[in-house]
Amino acid sequence: MADTYDFGLVGLGVMGRNFILNVADNGFTAFGNDLDEEKVSALIKEGGDSNKVNATSDVKTFVQSLTTPRKIMLLVPAGKIVDSVIEGLLPHLDKGDIIIDGGNSFYTDTDRREAYLKEKGINFFGAGVSGGAEGARKGPSIMPGGSKEAYQHVKPIFEAVSAKYKGEPCVAYLGPKSAGNYVKMVHNGIEYGLMQLTSEIYDLLKKAGGLTNDELHKTYSEWNEGRLQSFLVEITSEIFDQKDDLTDNDLVDMILDKAKQKGTGKWTSQNAMDLGIPVPTIDIAVSMREISALKAERIKADELYGRPVPNAVDKEDFTVKAEQALYFAFIITYAQGMHQLADASKEYGYELELGEIAKIWRAGCIIRAALLADITKAYQTDKDLQNLLLSSSFVEKVQSTVDAARELVSYGAANGIPLPGLSNALTYFDAYTSSRLPLNLIQAQRDYFGSHTYERLDREGIFHTEWER
Ligand code: 6PG
């Protein structure tokens, strides 16, 4: 069986197993590797009949079974495990072989690994894979970064297994070094923002609009037929329809309101701060997961402070406005993420094409949405677009929905319903579209107490004033 398999995959958890079966479905032979014998047997059982899939727990046998240059994908948890898997593979590899990290690795780890492996003649790719277990099986969106030359060997397999949007594969070579992991990180930041917004609108519709879970199910599924069509809106609609196995209630009402996180949203925010690019809707989505974790404190504080009883609203009108506000805030969230990508591309030399990125997000990934077709067009029309809000194709979409966001944010503030994502998106919009902000005063204060100097509107140069007290 030496040299017979087209593709190797290390890490036969659900994602890995599904990915390998997807590779085999698309006409390639694939070999799996995992230290856990049970996982190896499970894959052989699941894919054995096809003669296209095999697996072993032995690293040497695994590597020797692959055609050269070997294409080995790792689907293991991010962190030290990736390094130890690489070390285990290295003695058996030849120059020119390719390792692809398909996990959510931090982009600087990818840069380090790429440089380390380059010295040994091995090509290393960081490739974000989005779409969860189902995506891995039926077609994910794949975001690879690394050597452009080496990508040619991986391209046919990735194009075959990826999701398709109107026949076009949702994978593209994105750029050198950690470009792929970086893009996936920002994808996840956007994912955090969209999830936060979807949950805020649910809160409003439930507490103010009085919508039942059944009505929420219908509302979100109607929205999913229109301009809000997206994976997250679709699954949200299905969530409201799910009964609980353990009680007579709907499952959503029985789930503890503490959201966990693995770090990719936080990394997006942290890095945006380093770059000096504002992504406040993503920042607040991370903070809300942190606030949600403080359940015991929240219960105490709720008892201490209470909250207003929400004023009655016209349910139908409120629901129409909610759709508009959500659409508005979705646009703002994508705008922030894309803005970060544009800046990171310059800073890290990724040479990202934002139109290509939006294009491969149109299907397969968690943030896939009808809106991404419009975003793709906007960046294809203007490759150097600094911010989506500056695209003429978005002006009407934003202008026709921003008033609903204003109305709901005011309602939330007056009635004690927290809408941090929505209000944040609105504030970002109002600030970004203000030609004059009051930060002239901050400059004056800085100069006043610290002689930090300021620039002027009417002439060039750096100025300092001896402020009179
Ligand atoms: C994807 C997802 C996935 C991520 C989960 C969980 O694109 O398929 O982004 O990669 O791991 O969404 O992330 P959190 O645990 O941080 O919510």
Side-chain angles (χ1 to χ4, degrees), residues 15 103-104 129-133 141 143 184 187-188 191-192 195 259-266 289 364-367:
M15 286 288 286
N104 282 328
V129 178
S130 178
S141 170
M143 294 153 243
K184 176 62 182 3
H187 164 285
N188 282 23
E191 171 185 306
Y192 273 49
M195 290 168 81
K260 303 257 162 87
Q261 50 182 321
K262 293 200 205 73
T264 45
K266 183 183 76 180
R289 292 197 189 193
C365 66
I366 303 294
I367 65 168

Side-chain angles (χ1 to χ4, degrees), residues 392-414:
S392 55
S393 62
F394 271 82
V395 174
E396 200 277 327
K397 295 185 205 317
V398 170
Q399 263 172 348
S400 61
T401 50
V402 63
D403 287 346
R406 294 192 194 290
E407 200 177 318
L408 296 196
V409 166
S410 313
Y411 178 91

